[in-house]
Amino acid sequence: MTADLSQLVKAYDVRGVVPDQWDEALAELFGAAFVQVTDADAIVIGYDMRPSSPGLSRAFARGAAARGVDVTEIGLCSTDQLYYASGAFDLPGAMFTASHNPAQYNGIKMCRAGAAPVGQDTGLSEIRGLVESWLDSGAPAPSDVTPGTITQRDTLKDYAAHLRGLVDLTSIRPLKVVVDAGNGMGGHTVPTVFDGLPLDLVPMYFELDGTFPNHEANPLDPANIVDLQKRVREEGADLGIAFDGDADRCFVVDERGEPVSPSAITALVAARELARNGGKGTVIHNLITSWSVPEVVRENGGTPVRTRVGHSFIKAEMATSGAIFGGEHSAHYYFKDFWNADTGMLAALHVLAALGGQEGTLSALVAQYDRYAGSGEINSTVDDQKARLAAIKTTYEGREGITLDELDGLTVTAEDWWFNVRPSNTEPLLRLNAEARDEATMEKMRDEVLGIIRG
């Protein structure tokens, strides 16, 4: 096939339509390139429930093994289960998933040993360059190399035990929890991780099905948690949890079926991790999380550090600062005790431990962490991202009491509100997030900025 790698290799991973944009032959080249760039002598590979995942994963393994590398296949797994294997075995890893994208997509999330990220600036551009150079002739066969072995190993129970060892759930009160796996990998991991806990588990869409027959496995879209919200209310449950397709992100709804802001979850987990570390430590948050997050971190003795949006930036800052925890408003949660990698399952266990450790409702518990009115992320299609950003900057620059920064897009901050506008790297979109001390102020600012964005 003729592959356009500029459309396939994204900022943090490989992702595209199968077989239109990539196939098993290309996956084999990626396997060869991955081991060359990481200089690995052994790697670990896992895959999700998409129909194309087993074949792509095995092709990648063949490409790696042909260059003398021993491959451990852990089979069906969540992305954070692959990170667990990379960390526990101290091996580079590759996860075959397209996360929440529709069924025809697939991709590769790659990491170095210890779950260290592979992104554009940490090896992905070199991998792309090698694959492009091999498209016509194939990967050159190395001389005097004995092909590596390909073996299988089940890591699910070990992964579950590791997570359970990081959160004390032994004395929580019984809880009724509805879990919507969205036909994704949460249906594979939740039964083992939750096994033996005092939980009345109500499973939804636990059948592994990469065609997503019930709804997209993207809980960030409110339409995809409607079923969960309804079921929580019907069951009289204490809470609901939704996972995305590869189960590395978790979203929470309270006992009323109301969504809990990922920023509130970030603040709650940050407070727990700081308590576990004697009230000391650095917590990373990206610049679209709520004002609540740095406030709660400081109140609990920690040091908040603000970063750009994106897991490569969070993980890099985690490593540099020695942070104990990091959170993004997209519901990615990163833990020092999980090799600085993101795991929605560990965040979910923290929520269960916090709720089960007291008698109140989840809505009452998170109220202390959800202090402001937020817009959520609003996407607008624009003809010229730079021109629209420049227009916003001109509008607010120089106003008394307002500060601007361009760490990631444009952030404008006043005493009672802030907003951030960021361009998409892959689409002609501008993404707006706004927050204020009250709903009316937030709505006024949101509409004002959208008026500039949309002309």
Side-chain angles (χ1 to χ4, degrees), residues 300-455:
N300 286 272
T303 303
V305 172
R306 179 173 175 265
T307 73
R308 296 178 62 184
V309 175
H311 78 93
S312 64
F313 304 114
I314 294 268
K315 289 177 179 176
E317 191 62 46
M318 292 276 291
T320 300
S321 65
I324 59 173
F325 174 65
E328 293 195 89
H329 198 64
S330 56
H332 282 284
Y333 305 105
Y334 306 80
F335 295 83
K336 181 177 183 178
D337 291 332
F338 200 76
W339 301 278
N340 293 333
D342 46 321
T343 165
M345 188 66 74
L346 185 51
L349 293 180
H350 272 285
V351 173
L352 292 168
L355 179 59
Q358 48 92 66
E359 293 301 319
T361 62
L362 183 58
S363 59
L365 175 64
V366 299
Q368 62 187 300
Y369 304 115
D370 197 6
R371 304 171 177 179
Y372 302 101
S375 67
E377 189 156 275
I378 303 168
N379 291 320
S380 302
T381 302
V382 296
D383 293 331
D384 189 331
Q385 292 171 321
K386 289 183 179 179
R388 293 295 90 204
L389 279 170
I392 297 168
K393 184 176 181 179
T394 299
T395 300
Y396 293 97
E397 203 167 30
R399 286 194 189 181
E400 186 176 350
I402 288 179
T403 60
L404 282 68
D405 79 66
E406 297 178 81
L407 174 63
D408 191 352
L410 176 68
T411 303
V412 180
T413 305
E415 182 179 354
D416 295 325
W417 52 263
W418 65 267
F419 70 82
N420 170 268
V421 180
R422 299 164 13 257
S424 167
N425 292 319
T426 56
E427 301 171 273
L429 300 176
L430 285 178
R431 309 188 192 280
L432 168 67
N433 287 268
E435 184 177 67
R437 297 190 188 278
D438 60 76
E439 194 77 22
T441 303
M442 183 279 292
E443 290 176 355
K444 179 176 180 291
M445 289 310 308
R446 176 198 66 197
D447 294 346
E448 182 177 297
V449 180
L450 284 174
I452 303 170
I453 291 173
R454 296 173 178 176

Side-chain angles (χ1 to χ4, degrees), residues 54-109:
L56 291 170
S57 172
R58 178 48 65 97
F60 188 97
R62 287 196 302 269
R67 303 181 83 80
V69 169
D70 291 332
V71 178
T72 298
E73 294 180 321
I74 64 171
L76 280 167
C77 65
S78 61
T79 290
D80 64 328
Q81 190 182 334
L82 184 279
Y83 291 151
Y84 163 78
S86 173
F89 304 158
D90 198 29
L91 294 177
M95 174 68 187
F96 282 78
T97 180
S99 186
H100 60 274
N101 286 124
Q104 67 269 30
Y105 284 80
N106 215 322
I108 322 171
K109 293 182 178 181

Side-chain angles (χ1 to χ4, degrees), residues 137-287:
S137 57
S143 57
D144 302 324
V145 168
T146 302
T149 60
I150 299 177
T151 57
Q152 288 74 45
R153 179 168 177 175
D154 185 0
T155 62
L156 180 56
K157 289 184 178 179
D158 291 339
Y159 154 80
H162 180 77
L163 294 181
R164 293 273 292 270
L166 297 175
V167 183
D168 184 7
L169 293 149
T170 55
S171 59
I172 66 169
R173 63 186 168 94
L175 297 171
K176 189 170 191 177
V177 54
V178 182
V179 176
D180 183 346
N183 299 108
M185 293 313 302
H188 176 71
T189 56
V190 167
T192 300
V193 176
F194 284 15
D195 185 46
L197 295 176
L199 301 173
D200 180 0
L201 174 62
V202 180
M204 293 182 66
Y205 313 142
F206 270 39
E207 304 79 19
L208 301 183
D209 188 339
T211 67
F212 306 114
N214 294 291
H215 59 70
E216 285 188 357
N218 179 19
L220 196 58
D221 182 343
N224 296 324
I225 63 168
V226 170
D227 290 358
L228 174 65
Q229 293 172 292
K230 180 182 178 185
R231 191 68 178 273
V232 166
R233 289 189 285 261
E234 289 175 348
E235 295 280 348
D238 294 291
L239 76 162
I241 299 172
F243 290 96
D244 65 345
D246 59 335
D248 62 347
R249 291 186 294 159
C250 86
F251 295 76
V252 179
V253 302
D254 66 23
E255 77 287 351
R256 306 166 302 173
E258 294 297 319
V260 178
S261 162
S263 284
I265 299 298
T266 296
L268 182 154
V269 178
R272 288 177 52 82
E273 284 291 88
L274 284 164
R276 202 163 68 90
N277 285 272
K280 296 179 181 179
T282 297
V283 173
I284 311 299
H285 65 99
N286 71 22
L287 51 71

